[in-house]
Amino acid sequence: MPEVINLQRRYLLAGTAATAVAAGTFVPGANLRASEGSDLPEYVNWKEPETLIIHSDNTLETKRSAFGTASITPEDRLYIRNNISPPPSSIVEDRDSWEVSIEGVAEPRTLTLAELKTMGIETVTMVLQCSGNGRAYFDHDPSGTQWQLGAAGNVMWTGVPLRSIVEALGGVAEGAEYVTGTGGEELPEGIDPLSILVERSVPLEAMEDILLAWDINGEPISLAHGGPLRMVVPGYTGVNNVKYIKKIAFTEEESPARIQQTRYRLMPVGEEGGPQWPSVWKMDVKSWITGPLDNRGAGPVLVTGVAFGGTTPVDSVEVSVDGGETWHQADFVGPDLGRFAWRPFVLAVDLEPGNYMLVSRATDSEGNSQPENFEPNQSGYSHNGWRAPGVEIAVS
Amino acid sequence: MPEVINLQRRYLLAGTAATAVAAGTFVPGANLRASEGSDLPEYVNWKEPETLIIHSDNTLETKRSAFGTASITPEDRLYIRNNISPPPSSIVEDRDSWEVSIEGVAEPRTLTLAELKTMGIETVTMVLQCSGNGRAYFDHDPSGTQWQLGAAGNVMWTGVPLRSIVEALGGVAEGAEYVTGTGGEELPEGIDPLSILVERSVPLEAMEDILLAWDINGEPISLAHGGPLRMVVPGYTGVNNVKYIKKIAFTEEESPARIQQTRYRLMPVGEEGGPQWPSVWKMDVKSWITGPLDNRGAGPVLVTGVAFGGTTPVDSVEVSVDGGETWHQADFVGPDLGRFAWRPFVLAVDLEPGNYMLVSRATDSEGNSQPENFEPNQSGYSHNGWRAPGVEIAVS
């Protein structure tokens, strides 16, 4: 077992009398690499190309190496997943005139972004993660973008709490059970709107945390990420955070849109999607290693990663360098940004020559830990197993 | 007095029975506007031009309107102040090979950035503020860049604690009283090096908080902001945070460089700089309004700003819309990022037609408040008076 270095103790530089031994055998996990495209699509040409994997024009993944130990994911490294193409960029040229209608309240009305900015302000940091993040780790080859870990980021949103708006409009109408948000994308002609409309419903209880956000990480939200106004639902997967939000309705039923009724559902392998299966809503506890990712020489190294709890605060994270045979408690790095945020973590180890499999396993404050393997579901959503994303490295 | 709206109470939209009355007269403060240049210098051409005031190639100020209510200042909006030109960009092409020598310890040695990354990791959020921020508000016309408020930002640095390095190298040499950092800029030929060398000394006690940082806001530090490696000294003014750090020495005396001996000193108006005057080191409690900045129609508005305590946590901030006649407690927005960070604040008011002067006054946890006016000093450093940065607006 490699020596675990306590960073609080005197650090042992070259010449240390470390009692490290090479790690033993372990089961190699998947170590997939998505193919890298060449150029970024125009609407995101301001992003850092070397930090992104281009799956398609509408699906860009943050490279694992680009996370580092950052408390915040910069917008120019943040993943992109659009269900349909973004609206024209003219909507972010006069941001304050953007309108959102609020329905299913005592006094329904349409509000401009300028008005929203007078109604309250909060900042929330949260993991934004695509429902299909980790799809590449399923063995049954679910169709869809083969995300590994990079359809996720930790971002700081600023906007007005939905509950403040609701309060100003006299409260939620009786019988409402869902917050239903509608995106402002332009729908193509000649196609059933419900088959393509981005309209998602989340349980009413989410209202307490929802923001209508205009800033991301201290800047106006880019068009690519849903500017001028996005409904952010902390703790819920990406699709529920509706971009270009143009309508919020408090409804008795879930949206009839296909994206709600049959897509983003957790069904057994082989089954068709449908409203009888659970919707992909809240995220579960998860973590992954962000470094080292490459073979290296023997000696001390900081094993780093990120961990989060979904809607529950992450409580602790363990790291193993031998594929889960032995575990060591890691330390968190940087500020606690609240229960929806991720926390970078670090474990100092001294690695002798040998082969290693680095894995991490997080536990939330309710005692839920990541499973070793995640039960498959037809569409490959919500993967949070700890083994598959393991990092194999050889130390020489 | 305008009605102050408690955001926790039911929000009053249009049609409110507000008892607002127009604000009375007040003493108008300085409301200076720096002239705007056209194009950004090449080494910072990745910054957002519309958020910056260009004073010169080496001095760029963040516009007041660009702060908003952000907890973090994005790097592409952050001010620039270079004492001499940055080194060639080749130094950020192979970051991990950057070397820093550590002297004045039991076992002096040179460390690469790759080695530093194995020695420990921390993240600190801190206000980075030029010593001369606010110089434009002095009446005695001190020479130098006429900064208003925007030679400041709140940034998140990640790197290795200096104390961890010192511990690994056997501790600080006996008799050392200062941490002296030397920048890696190339010095022009034919000129006394000490007249231009960027080398700053801070008291040894600062060591506890110093980081050798490689990341800013989750990304490798740009050349313009001191990458690949910067010595960050939380709570101390910008000049003490030495860019391209190539040497750190624990010394008995302060650096003999002019930037230490005669510049960045607090002396009475009319006096020459010299070591007999206090060095510009720790920052004091400060705040300013970030919005609204323009005339507007009557109605509800959120008055926003940022406040920080320097090396002491900011405790509270009051806002006045009548130039300091009456004060109201503002609320903080977003996460507490630690004692070196700023906190955005908000006060909801309902403004009737009239003229207003918006000012803010912060108090730190030791009870120190911003003074109404700040005593002048020859070079115009460290301004933290609350009156001069007031914002005049007319509400119609």
Side-chain angles (χ1 to χ4, degrees), chain A residues 58 104 125 230 307 310 328 363 391:
Chain A
N58 277 335
T125 308
R230 185 165 184 174
H328 312 281
T363 301
V391 177

Side-chain angles (χ1 to χ4, degrees), chain A residues 4 12 63 69 77 79 96 121 135 138 175 300 344 346 351 378:
Chain A
V4 174
L12 300 168
K63 288 184 184 169
T69 49
R77 300 182 164 208
Y79 82 99
D96 279 356
I121 190 160
R135 182 177 289 128
F138 287 101
V346 62
L351 298 180
Q378 171 61 23

Side-chain angles (χ1 to χ4, degrees), chain B residues 252-333:
Chain B
E252 295 184 19
E253 306 286 345
E254 296 183 38
S255 166
R258 191 166 74 93
I259 201 172
Q260 182 77 24
Q261 291 292 319
T262 61
R263 297 178 61 208
Y264 296 95
R265 296 278 173 175
L266 288 163
M267 56 272 186
V269 174
E271 296 282 355
E272 292 285 318
Q276 69 274 32
W277 309 112
S279 212
V280 181
W281 278 329
K282 289 186 186 179
M283 296 186 286
D284 286 323
V285 61
K286 189 166 176 176
S287 71
W288 58 84
I289 300 289
T290 59
L293 302 176
D294 298 314
N295 296 341
R296 56 187 293 121
V301 60
L302 301 186
V303 179
T304 61
V306 294
F308 57 96
T311 55
T312 310
V314 62
D315 184 67
S316 62
V317 58
E318 301 158 287
V319 167
S320 170
V321 300
D322 56 11
E325 293 290 312
T326 53
W327 294 93
H328 312 281
Q329 193 80 22
D331 292 320
F332 289 123
V333 177

Side-chain angles (χ1 to χ4, degrees), chain B residues 169-206:
Chain B
L169 301 183
V172 171
E174 209 176 321
E177 298 205 6
Y178 299 95
V179 182
T180 297
T182 311
E185 292 92 346
E186 289 181 0
L187 304 184
E189 304 266 341
I191 193 171
D192 175 11
L194 288 182
S195 72
I196 194 160
L197 183 68
V198 178
E199 185 174 271
R200 286 285 298 178
S201 301
V202 294
L204 188 59
E205 64 168 5

Side-chain angles (χ1 to χ4, degrees), chain A residues 39-242:
Chain A
D39 288 324
L40 292 171
E42 194 180 339
Y43 75 107
V44 287
N45 63 7
W46 47 271
K47 287 189 178 255
E48 285 186 44
E50 70 278 16
T51 66
L52 295 163
I53 300 162
I54 303 173
H55 292 286
S56 77
D57 274 7
N58 277 335
T59 47
L60 285 82
E61 175 167 359
T62 308
K63 288 184 184 169
R64 191 170 187 162
S65 58
F67 289 123
T69 49
S71 292
I72 293 293
T73 307
E75 199 186 11
D76 55 14
R77 300 182 164 208
L78 186 61
Y79 82 99
I80 287 279
R81 196 279 186 256
N82 289 325
N83 274 280
I84 55 178
S85 294
S89 60
S90 55
I91 68 167
V92 289
E93 280 156 21
D94 179 17
R95 290 171 179 264
D96 279 356
S97 68
W98 180 261
E99 293 183 332
V100 58
S101 65
I102 312 293
E103 302 179 5
V105 289
E107 303 159 39
R109 63 171 283 183
T110 296
L111 295 161
T112 63
L113 179 44
E115 288 173 298
L116 293 178
K117 286 179 176 173
T118 70
M119 297 179 72
I121 190 160
E122 274 185 18
T123 292
V124 66
T125 308
M126 63 168 229
V127 175
L128 183 72
Q129 178 181 228
C130 184
S131 310
N133 197 30
R135 182 177 289 128
Y137 299 125
F138 287 101
D139 291 329
H140 66 289
D141 271 344
S143 66
T145 306
Q146 296 302 299
W147 306 110
Q148 298 173 60
L149 295 160
N154 197 40
V155 286
M156 213 177 247
W157 303 100
T158 299
V160 57
L162 180 57
R163 62 176 190 280
S164 300
I165 299 169
V166 166
E167 210 175 5
L169 301 183
V172 171
E174 209 175 323
E177 298 205 6
Y178 299 95
V179 181
T180 298
T182 311
E185 292 93 346
E186 288 181 1
L187 304 185
E189 303 268 340
I191 192 172
D192 175 10
L194 288 182
S195 73
I196 194 160
L197 183 70
V198 178
E199 186 174 89
R200 286 286 297 178
S201 301
V202 294
L204 187 60
E205 63 169 5
M207 182 181 79
E208 201 54 38
D209 300 313
I210 290 175
L211 289 191
L212 301 194
W214 49 81
D215 273 5
I216 181 172
N217 294 344
E219 294 183 285
I221 304 172
S222 65
L223 181 72
H225 288 295
L229 192 68
R230 185 165 184 174
M231 180 173 90
V232 300
V233 190
Y236 285 63
T237 62
V239 70
N240 300 292
N241 295 262
V242 177

Side-chain angles (χ1 to χ4, degrees), chain A residues 10-11 13 48 69-71 74 76-77 109 117-118 120-121 123 156 158 167-168 217-220 300 302 334 337, chain B residues 10-11 13 48 69-71 74 76-77 109 117-121 123 156 158 167 217-220 300 302 334 337:
Chain A
R10 188 178 185 291
Y11 184 86
L13 216 59
E48 285 186 44
T69 49
S71 292
D76 55 14
R77 300 182 164 208
R109 63 171 283 183
K117 286 179 176 173
T118 70
I121 190 160
T123 292
M156 213 177 247
T158 299
E167 210 175 5
N217 294 344
E219 294 183 285
L302 301 186
L337 294 171
Chain B
R10 188 176 185 292
Y11 185 86
L13 216 60
E48 285 186 42
T69 49
S71 291
D76 56 12
R77 299 183 165 206
R109 62 171 285 183
K117 287 179 176 173
T118 70
M119 298 179 71
I121 191 161
T123 292
M156 215 179 246
T158 299
E167 209 174 5
N217 294 346
E219 293 182 287
L302 301 186
L337 293 171

